[in-house]
Amino acid sequence: MTDPRDTPSAPVLSVRDLTVSLRHSDGKDVVRNVSFDVGPGETLCVVGESGSGKSVTSFSIMGLLENALHPTGGEILLGGENLLKASPERMRELRSTRMSMVFQEPMTALNPVEKVGSQIEEVLLLHTRMSAAERRRRTLEMLETVHLPEPERIYESYPHQLSGGQRQRVVICIALILEPDLLIADEPTTALDVTTQQHILTLIREMQERQNTAVLFITHDMGVVADIADRVVVMKDGNVVEVGAKDAILRAPEQDYTRMLISSVPSLLPEPRAALQTDTVLTVERLNKTFRKKKFLRPATEVHAVADVNLTLRKKEILGVVGQSGSGKSTVARCIVGLEQPTSGDITICGAQLAQAGGAERRQMRRRIQMVFQDPYRSLNPRVKIGRSMIEGATNFGEPVDRAMHRAAELLRLVGLPPSALERFPHQFSGGQRQRICIARALMLEPDVLVADEAVSALDVSVQEQVLDLLDEIRERIGVGILFITHDLRVAARICDSIFVMNQGRIVEHGPAERVLGHPEQDYTRKLFEAAPGRHWDFRNFCPV
């Protein structure tokens, strides 16, 4: 009998009418009748909003479903072998040798107390008969193949000693070291800045071309789809709603849902905005932050995270701070809100200098500046109801509980949620709803300045658009000035009045968003712009730029 893998046209992966159900809740289907193929050397992107069933489908293929879920119908054929009928021992054998997976967060995929080299070698130890010397040599070769600097140093490093992009390259090493037929990448670039994201996508393409690997790429980023996809599967509520070639999907989507997803992607070129003449609410002058790293039996080293940063934020203004990871964006934000003590410099909020304020005055000034963090999952206490979380700051400043609850209900209405949400727990909301709650909580103390640190980077495009509209509405209605930290140039172009570009702790370019992104003066800004995924596509008009 001919092996299906010997036929050039045979797909590496065939999913046929896959249905995945909950073991409880009367067997409710989470994924229903999902079908698609992935051929050798092909990249198939699966897109859709959170909860559409993308990750459940990929986990079903890898045999990594939680106990609460189980496949109840269909087939998953890898080279003709039905994975749904494979034993646990056979699935362990197939992982890494025939199929591998790259997860969204590399820090959770790596053991924090084990050196990187040992973690890569573990795959070789389990699935090959290589000697220790051969495993080490192969691991170093792989580290060099994925363009990691100083492979010997990386080999001896722990995960926390590497950057996010370097950790993701290590995970790719683990996934591809045995040259599997299928690579599943589940949102592997979501938390990375645009230049690191570009490097990771290029790396996956290089490895794919070298090994003729079939790639199943899970993403909500349509820019990434435009750059890497051969074909696209669109999922909604556990169903496949559209399948087609990339150009057909992006140029002429047939389904309203697909059109909504694509048209929700912001343009890279901002629309002209009138200059604001409102009062200044925040001034930062000559801000410096130096971290001192102590080393055992060795001299301490200093890292200059922020150097001579100056910026001004006006009432109703949204000021964007963009740059690569490690550029100093978040350190500036943490210094402004008081989570880090600046080494030097002045921070003035509504005319009052933070550095010169005494204890009681400084505490009162903190009411004027609030922060919305990147991850709404970790921003809310999972054991505390929303109402209690929202009123905590107000009651700490002496506001009666009844009045604080009344204001919390009003703010929930402002962000588009019902007052009944006060009596629910964080896990009962979607990611977008949780971020709306975090915004409402930040507004409880009626701040003059709102700092949003990557507040929409973890959200899918349609929810992201809703949260950006919400921030735009809030700044107009309340008059709050917003300092918006982001690595996504599309988001910056969509919402920001002015933009500051940071590199290695310094501001290298600033001005109105229309000028900075439309006509950048600095090479670094142009480099960021060129690295933006899907930069050659106008998603609003379904056509190339």
Side-chain angles (χ1 to χ4, degrees):
M1 181 176 179
T2 303
D3 189 332
R5 286 172 289 165
D6 295 335
T7 306
S9 60
V12 172
L13 175 72
S14 292
V15 177
R16 292 283 174 266
D17 298 319
L18 175 66
T19 298
V20 179
S21 307
L22 289 167
R23 294 186 186 276
H24 309 292
S25 302
D26 298 324
K28 178 182 177 181
D29 293 339
V30 177
V31 166
R32 288 176 294 278
N33 301 321
V34 169
S35 298
F36 57 80
D37 294 334
V38 192
E42 181 185 32
T43 299
L44 178 72
C45 284
V46 182
V47 302
E49 296 175 284
S50 298
S52 62
K54 307 186 301 294
S55 293
V56 170
T57 301
S58 65
F59 288 167
S60 299
I61 296 168
M62 291 294 294
L64 298 175
L65 286 176
E66 300 176 10
N67 290 332
L69 296 169
H70 68 125
T72 55
E75 295 180 320
I76 300 173
L77 303 175
L78 180 66
E81 180 177 355
N82 189 353
L83 302 182
L84 296 183
K85 294 183 178 180
S87 66
E89 293 77 16
R90 177 58 177 162
M91 287 301 294
R92 281 195 294 271
E93 182 182 342
L94 290 172
R95 295 187 199 114
S96 295
T97 58
R98 296 285 307 285
M99 60 180 179
S100 286
M101 191 165 185
V102 177
F103 297 93
Q104 177 175 349
E105 177 48 65
M107 203 58 183
T108 60
L110 296 171
N111 188 333
V113 298
E114 189 174 348
K115 290 182 179 179
V116 162
S118 299
Q119 297 189 57
I120 301 173
E121 281 190 17
E122 184 178 7
V123 180
L124 301 175
L125 181 64
L126 292 173
H127 296 286
T128 73
R129 296 182 178 181
M130 289 183 179
S131 66
E134 289 172 330
R135 291 196 302 269
R136 179 183 175 87
R137 183 170 61 252
R138 174 62 178 145
T139 298
L140 291 172
E141 286 175 358
M142 197 67 187
L143 289 171
E144 189 172 351
T145 300
V146 299
H147 309 304
L148 277 166
E150 305 174 79
E152 292 278 359
R153 178 183 64 81
I154 299 291
Y155 182 95
E156 296 294 338
S157 298
Y158 290 94
H160 73 273
Q161 296 174 308
L162 307 180
S163 68
Q166 289 175 332
R167 285 194 290 265
Q168 198 62 288
R169 288 170 187 263
V170 169
V171 173
I172 291 172
C173 273
I174 295 172
L176 294 179
I177 196 166
L178 291 179
E179 301 184 2
D181 300 321
L182 172 68
L183 174 68
I184 301 175
D186 188 5
E187 303 274 13
T189 61
T190 296
L192 305 177
D193 61 67
V194 287
T195 51
T196 305
Q197 182 181 64
Q198 183 187 50
H199 293 157
I200 295 298
L201 295 176
T202 301
L203 173 62
I204 290 175
R205 175 64 77 180
E206 286 178 1
M207 302 295 288
Q208 178 184 34
E209 291 174 352
R210 183 180 293 115
Q211 302 173 7
N212 202 32
T213 308
V215 176
L216 181 65
F217 201 101
I218 314 295
T219 185
H220 65 247
D221 190 331
M222 300 305 293
V224 170
V225 172
D227 280 355
I228 71 168
D230 295 308
R231 291 188 303 118
V232 181
V233 172
V234 183
M235 293 189 67
K236 179 187 179 186
D237 298 331
N239 298 295
V240 172
V241 298
E242 192 163 356
V243 182
K246 176 187 70 177
D247 284 354
I249 295 290
L250 294 183
R251 290 173 185 266
E254 297 178 356
Q255 301 297 318
D256 290 341
Y257 178 74
T258 309
R259 284 192 287 272
M260 181 277 293
L261 282 182
I262 297 173
S263 62
S264 296
V265 181
S267 170
L268 268 170
L269 297 176
E271 297 179 359
R273 294 173 181 255
L276 291 168
Q277 302 299 325
T278 50
D279 295 336
T280 298
V281 292
L282 172 69
T283 302
V284 177
E285 296 177 300
R286 303 179 305 279
L287 181 67
N288 290 274
K289 177 60 181 178
T290 300
F291 292 99
R292 188 175 176 84
K293 290 187 175 182
K294 297 181 179 179
K295 296 184 178 180
F296 183 66
L297 297 179
R298 287 193 292 172
T301 59
E302 291 186 344
V303 177
H304 301 286
V306 176
D308 294 322
V309 165
N310 298 277
L311 60 83
T312 300
L313 175 67
R314 294 180 177 276
K315 188 175 182 180
K316 291 190 176 183
E317 180 183 15
I318 300 181
L319 187 157
V321 183
V322 303
Q324 294 171 285
S325 297
S327 62
K329 308 185 302 294
S330 292
T331 302
V332 169
R334 292 174 67 84
C335 287
I336 289 172
V337 299
L339 295 176
E340 294 283 358
Q341 182 65 37
T343 305
S344 63
D346 295 321
I347 299 172
T348 304
I349 303 172
C350 296
Q353 283 196 357
L354 191 62
Q356 297 179 1
E361 185 182 0
R362 178 184 289 263
R363 186 169 181 269
Q364 288 298 321
M365 286 177 65
R366 287 179 184 260
R367 297 190 61 153
R368 294 186 159 188
I369 184 163
Q370 294 293 305
M371 192 165 186
V372 179
F373 294 93
Q374 176 177 356
D375 190 349
Y377 292 85
R378 293 191 293 176
S379 298
L380 297 167
N381 188 331
R383 299 180 180 180
V384 174
K385 289 183 179 179
I386 296 304
R388 182 177 160 193
S389 287
M390 285 191 63
I391 70 171
E392 183 179 5
T395 54
N396 285 345
F397 279 97
E399 188 169 342
V401 172
D402 290 347
R403 189 188 304 171
M405 277 293 188
H406 179 72
R407 174 155 175 73
E410 291 179 344
L411 287 171
L412 285 179
R413 291 191 189 96
L414 177 66
V415 300
L417 292 173
S420 59
L422 294 170
E423 294 301 318
R424 295 160 67 187
F425 289 93
H427 73 272
Q428 296 174 292
F429 298 90
S430 68
Q433 289 173 325
R434 274 191 285 262
Q435 197 63 293
R436 289 171 178 266
I437 291 167
C438 291
I439 292 170
R441 181 179 62 176
L443 296 174
M444 276 293 296
L445 295 177
E446 301 180 356
D448 297 292
V449 178
L450 187 66
V451 178
D453 188 5
E454 301 282 9
V456 297
S457 65
L459 307 177
D460 56 60
V461 287
S462 56
V463 177
Q464 183 182 84
E465 177 76 1
Q466 295 167 15
V467 173
L468 293 177
D469 285 340
L470 173 62
L471 290 173
D472 225 351
E473 179 186 352
I474 285 171
R475 64 93 169 256
E476 288 293 342
R477 292 180 59 178
I478 298 178
V480 64
I482 300 177
L483 185 67
F484 196 89
I485 313 294
T486 184
H487 65 249
D488 190 331
L489 297 187
R490 291 184 181 276
V491 169
R494 159 70 178 79
I495 198 171
C496 295
D497 300 292
S498 53
I499 289 179
F500 282 62
V501 182
M502 290 193 68
N503 182 29
Q504 297 180 346
R506 296 181 179 274
I507 292 175
V508 297
E509 187 166 359
H510 65 90
E514 181 187 9
R515 183 189 64 75
V516 172
L517 294 181
H519 307 282
E521 297 175 355
Q522 300 298 317
D523 289 341
Y524 177 74
T525 309
R526 287 192 286 269
K527 176 184 173 185
L528 290 179
F529 192 85
E530 285 299 313
R535 63 190 179 280
H536 301 304
W537 274 88
D538 180 354
F539 294 98
R540 299 285 172 128
N541 295 311
F542 304 98
C543 66
V545 175

